[in-house]
């Protein structure tokens, strides 16, 4: 919640007045003081929490011990109040950095010395690169710019990014924010981006504090009369363990993230922000989160006023804090926590525990150290640098996916295709390219501008916006296509079609877009290239099957340099290497699958979800993407590969003969040898190119109930191979880590039998047997 951006959700008139006053006080504040514990205020020498050489946990307890209950409570919300008597200014926790520093949250503001920040491609596009080092490097650049803006007094250091929810349903309006449908990919993305944001500082220190959201099983915003504030996600233990929670666990375990955000929805009848099992027991207990847990904005208010989970607001405040919530985005806890303490629903000790988690993160960020540390000199010159802008372009290059290229129509030649018709509602857009949760971009290159660098362009929008409600502009578009040597149609979606609070009802191009593509393709005298901007998948079977459409490119939302990247790929300056991070379903899929059904596995007439479980036809499969060159795979340097079967035995105290499996928790995982696979990738074409090696595992079909897995990704590696050359990629297959599946009780098991590995066209079998 932000006082000036979101409506007040409270129904009680007295509460409305209190919230109005809360907002009024905070909206009148000037820019925050740069640093607490500033030597100039004379407090540093007398306050122990200001002493840099004192251990952080001691400093935290010293600060908490100096606060009154009322002061503590005003620190439980995102717009934390100042404590002037201790030299502590107010702090706004809510900033966003999904794919660049954003001003969506009130914690960051552009203007003056910081007119904008580098706007990278939307996450779904960056995920299509399948490049973990790129993901981390983007995070590093974003945190450089965030620190620079913090030093300039216009941003915070706590960023509620990334969004690592699974793209379960192709209609979800926020799918664009996620790394796609595969939990392994989402987990690897989460850990990589978080490491980039948080830095590799000495010890326990943080560059900025990242936050993985929205925990958990959150992937419906507003569909068919059901909204996220009232949705109860009914999720099996099996799906929770092997799909929905996987990226969050990776965030905490591998990324060492400083924060996790609980979601609006309920899971199996309980609001996630009041679920002790999900928060205190799992995130902090099992996964050992070193950080704080924050609510999605107004979530506590939502589960009281809209879900009616508790009878009184004081009970709601107590339920959330006791469940493990440390910080409320919104004013609810600031208003009702003191009443909860007075009624005995909560103790001051409970409040202290929550504060210890948030203040510890601030201490790790150096917010109580004065203007010290390795990032103190970052400033305006470190934002929108040439290197950062180049990285935004490179990220777009790597994320764009070539879906069709009939007769090798692409790349176009600037010599032969001197005039290009550039047509479509997304052909000359700027903000559309950066998607949602974006800031002010440093600069934009639209598709029209990018293509104009290679050829003379004839431009026609064809439609007034992506809704494309009429065909009045079709004639001019057809005329341009008749005159040009080639035609590029830039179509797709934008935030008016898919966004937060806005799920799609179908998968087809909106309005008359399909007719525009078909008519222009029929009229064009040269090759027709269809470029799609979107976050979610689109059923473009008509174009896939139309011989007049020579090529199809999915650009996602490609960021500030998206137009340049699209043009560079169309004209062959860059060889596309992106792969789809989600399945593209046909339109009739959505008629069979209500968004409200959370089950991943197929049953009866229900076809299942994602490539791991879906039983049915696709437009384009997960992991699909073409190149201007060709790649082949072979197994090399592995004597086991000669047999096409690897085999080893697992010893365990417990072997379940009925399911023919061993629990991972009971297996001696540390003693198992890894199976090394050396995959030789040969570039057999004429272009240098990058290629993603996917390793999928297909488990044996044995006695584990409800397994339902088609195959699942266990590893992926990005490799660049020059034309005519070979590169070898090593993948070490670990039985516990890679061959485990989840049973109906949410327990991870290793099935005995033949596990089939799929590496492109290669098949390799690992035989797993119990050592009894």
């Amino acid at each position: 919640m932000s006082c000036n951006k979101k409506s007040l959700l409270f129904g009680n008139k007295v509460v409305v007045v209190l919230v109005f006053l809360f907002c009024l006080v905070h909206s009148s504040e000037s820019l925050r003081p740069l640093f607490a514990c500033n030597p100039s205020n004379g407090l540093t020498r007398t306050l122990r929490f200001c002493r840099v050489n004192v251990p952080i946990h001691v400093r935290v307890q010293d600060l908490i011990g100096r606060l009154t209950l009322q002061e503590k409570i005003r620190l439980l919300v995102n717009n934390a109040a100042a404590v002037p008597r201790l030299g502590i200014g107010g702090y706004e926790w809510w900033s966003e950095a999904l794919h660049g520093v954003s001003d969506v949250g009130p914690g960051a503001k552009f203007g003056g010395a910081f007119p904008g920040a580098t706007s990278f491609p939307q996450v779904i596009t960056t995920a299509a690169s399948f490049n973990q080092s790129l993901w981390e490097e983007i995070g590093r650049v974003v945190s450089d710019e965030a620190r620079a803006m913090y030093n300039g007094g216009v941003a915070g250091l706590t960023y509620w990014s990334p969004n690592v929810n699974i793209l379960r349903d192709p209609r979800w309006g926020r799918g664009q924010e996620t790394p796609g449908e595969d939990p392994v990919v989402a987990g690897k993305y989460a850990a990589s981006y978080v490491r980039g944001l948080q830095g590799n500082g000495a010890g326990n220190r943080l560059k900025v504090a990242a936050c993985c959201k929205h925990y958990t099983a959150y992937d419906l915003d507003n569909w068919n009369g059901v909204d996220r504030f009232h949705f109860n996600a009914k999720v099996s233990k099996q799906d929770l363990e092997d799909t929905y929670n996987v990226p969050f666990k990776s965030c905490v375990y591998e990324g060492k993230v400083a924060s996790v955000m609980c979601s609006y929805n309920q899971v199996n009848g309980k609001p996630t922000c009041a679920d002790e099992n999900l928060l205190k027991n799992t995130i902090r207990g099992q996964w050992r989160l070193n950080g704080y847990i924050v609510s999605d904005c107004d979530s506590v208010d939502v589960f009281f006023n809209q879900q009616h989970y508790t009878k009184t607001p004081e009970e709601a405040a107590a339920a959330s804090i006791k469940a493990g919530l440390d910080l409320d985005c919104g004013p609810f806890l600031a208003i009702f926590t003191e009443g909860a303490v007075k009624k005995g629903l909560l103790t001051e000790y409970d409040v202290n525990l929550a504060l210890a988690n948030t203040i510890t993160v601030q201490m790790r960020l150096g917010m109580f150290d004065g203007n010290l540390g390795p990032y103190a000199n970052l400033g305006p010159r470190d934002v929108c640098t040439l290197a950062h802008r180049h990285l935004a372009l490179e990220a777009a290059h790597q994320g764009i996916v070539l879906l069709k290229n009939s007769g090798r129509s692409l790349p176009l030649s600037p010599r032969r295709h001197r005039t290009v018709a550039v047509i479509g509602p997304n052909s000359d857009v700027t903000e559309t390219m950066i998607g949602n949760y974006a800031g002010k971009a440093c600069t934009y290159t639209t598709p029209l501008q990018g293509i104009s660098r290679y050829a003379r362009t004839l431009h026609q929008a064809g439609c007034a916006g992506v809704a494309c409600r009429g065909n009045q502009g079709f004639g001019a578009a057809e005329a341009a296509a008749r005159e040009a040597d080639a035609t590029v149609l830039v179509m797709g979606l934008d935030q008016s079609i898919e966004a937060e609070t806005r799920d799609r009802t179908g998968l087809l191009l909106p309005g008359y877009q399909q007719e525009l593509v078909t008519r222009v393709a029929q009229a064009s005298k040269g090759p027709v290239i269809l470029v799609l901007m979107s976050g979610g998948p689109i059923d473009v079977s008509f174009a896939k099957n139309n011989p007049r459409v020579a090529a199809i490119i999915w650009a996602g939302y490609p960021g500030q340099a998206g137009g340049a990247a699209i043009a560079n790929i169309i004209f062959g300056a860059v060889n596309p290497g992106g792969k789809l991070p989600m399945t593209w379903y046909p339109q009739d899929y959505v008629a069979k699958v209500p968004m409200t059904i959370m089950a991943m596995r197929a049953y009866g007439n229900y076809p299942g979800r994602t490539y791991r479980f879906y039983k049915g036809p696709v437009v384009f499969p997960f992991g699909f993407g073409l190149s201007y060159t060709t790649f082949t795979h072979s197994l090399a340097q592995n004597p086991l590969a000669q047999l096409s079967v690897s085999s080893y035995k697992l010893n365990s105290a417990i072997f379940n003969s009925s399911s023919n499996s061993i629990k991972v928790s009971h297996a001696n995982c540390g003693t198992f040898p890894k199976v090394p696979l050396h995959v030789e990738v040969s570039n057999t074409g004429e272009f240098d190119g990058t290629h993603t090696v996917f390793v999928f595992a297909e488990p044996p079909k044995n006695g584990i109930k409800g397994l339902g897995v088609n195959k699942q990704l266990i590893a992926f590696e990005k490799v660049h191979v020059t034309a005519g050359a070979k590169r070898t990629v090593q993948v070490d297959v670990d039985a516990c880590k890679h061959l485990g599946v989840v049973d109906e009780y949410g327990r991870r098991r290793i099935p005995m039998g033949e596990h089939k590995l799929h590496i492109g066209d290669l098949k390799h079998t690992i035989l797993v047997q119990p050592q009894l």
Side-chain angles (χ1 to χ4, degrees), residues 270-284 293 303 316-326 346:
K270 254 189 181 177
T272 64
C273 293
D275 192 327
E276 184 174 4
N277 184 54
L278 286 177
L279 304 188
K280 186 176 289 184
N281 296 347
T282 302
I283 298 178
R284 196 168 297 286
I293 299 174
F303 79 67
S320 61
I321 293 174
K322 281 184 170 293
L325 189 73
D326 303 309
L346 201 63

Coordinates of all heavy atoms in Angstrom, one line a residue, residues 270-284 293 303 316-326 346:
K270 N -6.3 -20.9 4.8 CA -5.6 -20.0 5.8 C -4.9 -18.9 5.0 O -4.3 -19.2 4.0 CB -4.6 -20.8 6.6 CG -5.0 -21.0 8.0 CD -3.8 -21.6 8.7 CE -4.2 -21.9 10.2 NZ -3.1 -22.5 11.0
P271 N -5.1 -17.6 5.4 CA -4.3 -16.6 4.7 C -2.8 -16.9 4.9 O -2.4 -17.2 6.0 CB -4.7 -15.3 5.5 CG -5.9 -15.7 6.2 CD -5.9 -17.1 6.5
T272 N -2.0 -16.7 3.9 CA -0.6 -17.1 4.0 C 0.1 -16.2 5.0 O 1.0 -16.6 5.6 CB 0.1 -16.9 2.6 OG1 0.0 -15.5 2.2 CG2 -0.6 -17.8 1.5
C273 N -0.4 -15.0 5.2 CA 0.3 -14.0 6.1 C -0.1 -14.3 7.6 O 0.3 -13.6 8.5 CB 0.0 -12.6 5.7 SG 0.8 -12.1 4.2
A274 N -1.0 -15.3 7.8 CA -1.4 -15.7 9.1 C -1.1 -17.2 9.3 O -1.7 -17.8 10.3 CB -2.8 -15.3 9.4
D275 N -0.4 -17.8 8.5 CA -0.2 -19.3 8.5 C 1.2 -19.6 9.2 O 2.2 -19.4 8.5 CB -0.2 -19.8 7.1 CG -0.3 -21.4 7.1 OD1 0.3 -22.0 8.0 OD2 -1.0 -21.9 6.2
E276 N 1.2 -20.0 10.4 CA 2.4 -20.2 11.2 C 3.2 -21.4 10.5 O 4.4 -21.3 10.5 CB 2.1 -20.6 12.6 CG 3.3 -20.8 13.5 CD 2.9 -21.0 15.0 OE1 1.7 -21.1 15.3 OE2 3.8 -21.1 15.8
N277 N 2.5 -22.3 9.9 CA 3.2 -23.4 9.3 C 4.0 -23.0 8.1 O 5.2 -23.3 7.9 CB 2.3 -24.6 8.9 CG 3.0 -25.8 8.3 OD1 3.9 -26.3 9.0 ND2 2.6 -26.2 7.1
L278 N 3.4 -22.1 7.3 CA 4.1 -21.6 6.1 C 5.2 -20.6 6.5 O 6.3 -20.6 5.8 CB 3.1 -20.9 5.2 CG 2.1 -21.8 4.4 CD1 1.1 -20.9 3.6 CD2 2.9 -22.7 3.5
L279 N 5.0 -19.7 7.4 CA 5.9 -18.7 7.7 C 7.0 -19.2 8.8 O 8.1 -19.4 8.5 CB 5.2 -17.4 8.2 CG 4.1 -16.8 7.3 CD1 3.7 -15.5 7.8 CD2 4.6 -16.7 5.9
K280 N 6.5 -19.3 10.0 CA 7.5 -19.6 11.1 C 8.1 -20.9 11.0 O 9.3 -21.1 11.1 CB 6.8 -19.4 12.5 CG 7.7 -19.6 13.7 CD 7.0 -19.3 15.0 CE 6.6 -17.9 15.1 NZ 6.0 -17.6 16.5
N281 N 7.3 -21.9 10.7 CA 7.8 -23.3 10.6 C 8.6 -23.6 9.4 O 9.6 -24.3 9.4 CB 6.6 -24.3 10.8 CG 5.9 -24.2 12.1 OD1 6.4 -23.6 13.0 ND2 4.8 -24.8 12.2
T282 N 8.1 -23.1 8.2 CA 8.8 -23.5 7.0 C 9.9 -22.5 6.6 O 11.1 -22.9 6.5 CB 7.8 -23.6 5.8 OG1 6.8 -24.6 6.2 CG2 8.5 -24.0 4.5
I283 N 9.5 -21.2 6.3 CA 10.5 -20.3 5.9 C 11.6 -20.1 6.9 O 12.8 -20.1 6.6 CB 9.9 -18.9 5.6 CG1 8.9 -19.0 4.4 CG2 10.9 -17.9 5.2 CD1 8.1 -17.7 4.1
R284 N 11.2 -19.8 8.1 CA 12.2 -19.5 9.1 C 12.8 -20.8 9.8 O 13.9 -20.9 10.1 CB 11.7 -18.6 10.2 CG 12.8 -17.9 11.0 CD 12.3 -16.8 11.9 NE 11.7 -15.7 11.1 CZ 12.5 -14.8 10.4 NH1 13.8 -14.9 10.4 NH2 11.9 -13.8 9.8
I293 N 10.2 -11.3 7.1 CA 9.0 -11.7 6.3 C 8.1 -10.5 6.3 O 7.7 -9.9 7.3 CB 8.3 -12.9 6.9 CG1 9.2 -14.1 7.0 CG2 7.0 -13.3 6.1 CD1 8.7 -15.3 7.7
F303 N -7.1 -9.9 5.0 CA -7.6 -11.1 5.6 C -8.5 -10.8 6.8 O -9.3 -11.7 7.2 CB -6.5 -12.2 5.9 CG -5.6 -11.9 7.1 CD1 -6.2 -12.0 8.4 CD2 -4.3 -11.8 7.0 CE1 -5.4 -11.9 9.5 CE2 -3.5 -11.6 8.1 CZ -4.0 -11.7 9.4
A316 N -6.4 -10.0 14.2 CA -5.7 -10.1 13.0 C -4.2 -9.7 13.1 O -3.3 -10.4 12.6 CB -6.3 -9.3 11.9
A317 N -4.0 -8.6 13.8 CA -2.6 -8.2 14.1 C -1.8 -9.2 14.8 O -0.7 -9.5 14.5 CB -2.6 -6.8 14.9
A318 N -2.4 -9.8 15.9 CA -1.8 -10.8 16.7 C -1.5 -12.1 15.8 O -0.4 -12.7 15.9 CB -2.6 -11.1 17.9
A319 N -2.5 -12.5 15.0 CA -2.4 -13.7 14.2 C -1.2 -13.6 13.3 O -0.4 -14.5 13.1 CB -3.6 -14.0 13.5
S320 N -1.0 -12.4 12.6 CA 0.0 -12.3 11.7 C 1.4 -12.3 12.3 O 2.3 -13.0 11.9 CB -0.2 -11.0 10.8 OG -0.1 -9.9 11.7
I321 N 1.6 -11.5 13.4 CA 2.9 -11.5 14.1 C 3.2 -12.8 14.7 O 4.4 -13.3 14.6 CB 2.9 -10.3 15.1 CG1 2.8 -9.0 14.4 CG2 4.1 -10.4 16.0 CD1 2.6 -7.8 15.3
K322 N 2.3 -13.5 15.3 CA 2.6 -14.8 15.9 C 2.9 -15.8 14.8 O 3.6 -16.8 15.1 CB 1.4 -15.2 16.7 CG 1.3 -14.6 18.1 CD 0.2 -15.2 19.0 CE 0.3 -14.7 20.4 NZ 1.5 -15.3 21.1
A323 N 2.3 -15.7 13.6 CA 2.6 -16.6 12.5 C 4.0 -16.4 12.0 O 4.5 -17.3 11.3 CB 1.6 -16.4 11.4
G324 N 4.6 -15.3 12.3 CA 6.0 -15.0 11.8 C 6.1 -13.8 10.9 O 7.2 -13.5 10.4
L325 N 5.1 -13.0 10.7 CA 5.2 -11.8 10.0 C 6.0 -10.7 10.8 O 5.7 -10.5 11.9 CB 3.8 -11.2 9.6 CG 3.8 -10.1 8.6 CD1 4.1 -10.6 7.2 CD2 2.4 -9.4 8.6
D326 N 6.9 -10.1 10.1 CA 7.8 -9.1 10.8 C 7.4 -7.7 10.4 O 7.7 -6.7 11.1 CB 9.2 -9.4 10.4 CG 9.7 -10.8 10.8 OD1 9.5 -11.2 12.0 OD2 10.3 -11.5 9.9
L346 N -1.1 -10.6 22.3 CA 0.3 -10.5 21.9 C 1.1 -9.9 23.0 O 0.6 -9.2 23.8 CB 0.3 -9.5 20.7 CG 1.4 -9.6 19.6 CD1 1.5 -10.9 18.9 CD2 1.3 -8.4 18.6

